[in-house]
Amino acid sequence: MEQTTIARTTIPRRTLAGVKDADVRVYPFATEDGLGLELTRFQRAECDDVVLLVHGLTSASDVFIMPEHQNLTSHLLDAGFTDVWALDFRMSGRFPYDTETHRYTLDDIALYDFPAALEVIRREIGDRRLHVFAHCLGSVSFTMALFAGTVTDITSLTCNSVSLTPRVPAFSKLKLTLGPAFLEYVAGLPYIDPRFGDAPAFTRGWMLSRLVSLFHRECDVRACHMQSFQWGAGKPAMYEHANLLPVTHQRVADICCASGLHYYRHVRKMVDAGRSVRFAPDDPAYARLPKDYLADAAEVTTPLLLLAPERNRVFSDSNVYFHKLLERAAPGRHELEVLPGYGHLDPIIGKNAHLDVFPRVVDFLKRHSG
């Protein structure tokens, strides 16, 4: 109870307090299909190598600016990358889009969100080198955009946990197959929220949370149980408990929020295909995108760093497998870093990520900077 009180009273759900001594500016922008999105810039000085941070599904730019530990934004600023941008695209928990009934896919993000964001950034930084760090489905969709050519002039791309070859545990395949239809049409839930445990008693969300918690005795945080239900196959699935500060564990619902269900259908299609593919291959609205995003992998000259958490219970060995494919297409161009003892999300929100993970990212960035 004490940890919960600490989390709720000293760390607001949306805060910039985790980044010190930086000029912070917010850049709202709109996509071609009519959504309002946002970029936040953390700048200490002009820099020839600019970094863009991209979150995953259910999270937001908040994962990169957490105040309870040394976050990735501050680490990059301290390491000499003094111009860092964080994107909140349509998957962001800062927007209402994922709690609305929608039929967005990762194709929409690759086609609309990232080109619009890059237009804003390029307007401000000109032709300076731009590096991208992306996580989870943000990583999948940004790599889709890169390999489809809807974004260009990217100096380097770091992908945490997964990229163009999503692979999941067997139980996750079952959830991806049955879950969206069951929750939407039987349970009457258009989205899943880790905060369902705090819903009024006997409402649909409350009952789902209680049911999920029956199978998760590894801790007493219902939001943590729901995260494992939303993603992966493990107890817990999203991270290793030992890698988190207690306050981070207690406020996991602040960090990973509600998630729309239709994205899961696209992920399942990719899992079945063994690679990222267009969700609706015959829909003319997406004719600018390839049906198979790996078709021209050899032509992509941007070097990738693939972070592969050893205990990844969400996307298992996705990045290890992807690296093997890239080695066949372009030998020696891309790199793989296995992260011993880490799960899906703790390479970003872990209490020791600044010691174990971030330096590997900085090393990669410096080797591909000026």
Side-chain angles (χ1 to χ4, degrees), residues 67-87:
E68 65 261 43
H69 63 85
Q70 186 177 32
N71 55 66
L72 182 54
T73 298
S74 296
H75 191 92
L76 290 169
L77 292 170
D78 291 344
F81 294 92
T82 54
D83 193 356
V84 178
W85 297 65
L87 171 64

Side-chain angles (χ1 to χ4, degrees), residues 99-259:
T99 57
E100 301 169 348
T101 302
H102 68 77
R103 284 296 182 262
Y104 301 135
T105 68
L106 277 72
D107 295 321
D108 292 298
I109 298 165
L111 185 59
Y112 299 122
D113 293 16
F114 296 128
L118 266 291
E119 183 179 348
V120 174
I121 294 174
R122 283 298 176 193
R123 187 180 68 217
E124 297 295 322
I125 72 170
D127 61 356
R128 282 181 279 171
R129 290 180 292 272
L130 179 62
H131 307 263
V132 179
F133 177 101
H135 167 67
C136 189
L137 293 192
S139 173
V140 176
S141 53
F142 193 91
T143 315
M144 288 164 58
L146 179 65
F147 279 54
T150 61
V151 299
T152 57
D153 299 322
I154 303 300
T155 304
S156 75
L157 171 60
T158 300
C159 301
N160 182 56
S161 181
V162 63
S163 190
L164 287 189
T165 55
R167 291 155 65 90
V168 300
F171 182 52
S172 295
K173 288 183 182 180
L174 180 65
K175 290 194 291 183
L176 287 170
T177 302
L178 303 178
F182 176 83
L183 290 169
E184 283 183 341
Y185 298 111
V186 179
L189 295 168
Y191 63 92
I192 318 175
D193 193 338
R195 296 186 186 279
F196 277 165
D198 296 327
F202 302 108
T203 58
R204 293 171 182 174
W206 183 91
M207 288 189 288
L208 177 62
S209 174
R210 292 307 190 273
L211 177 63
V212 168
S213 289
L214 289 177
F215 299 93
H216 286 273
R217 302 294 187 181
E218 65 273 16
C219 69
D220 60 358
V221 179
R222 294 193 189 278
C224 181
H225 307 164
M226 285 299 298
Q227 282 293 307
S228 296
F229 176 70
Q230 288 176 250
W231 288 105
K235 299 182 178 182
M238 290 278 281
Y239 37 69
E240 292 294 307
H241 275 146
N243 290 339
L244 303 188
L245 290 171
V247 65
T248 301
H249 183 223
Q250 290 290 341
R251 72 183 201 99
V252 67
D254 293 350
I255 300 161
C256 298
C257 308
S259 170

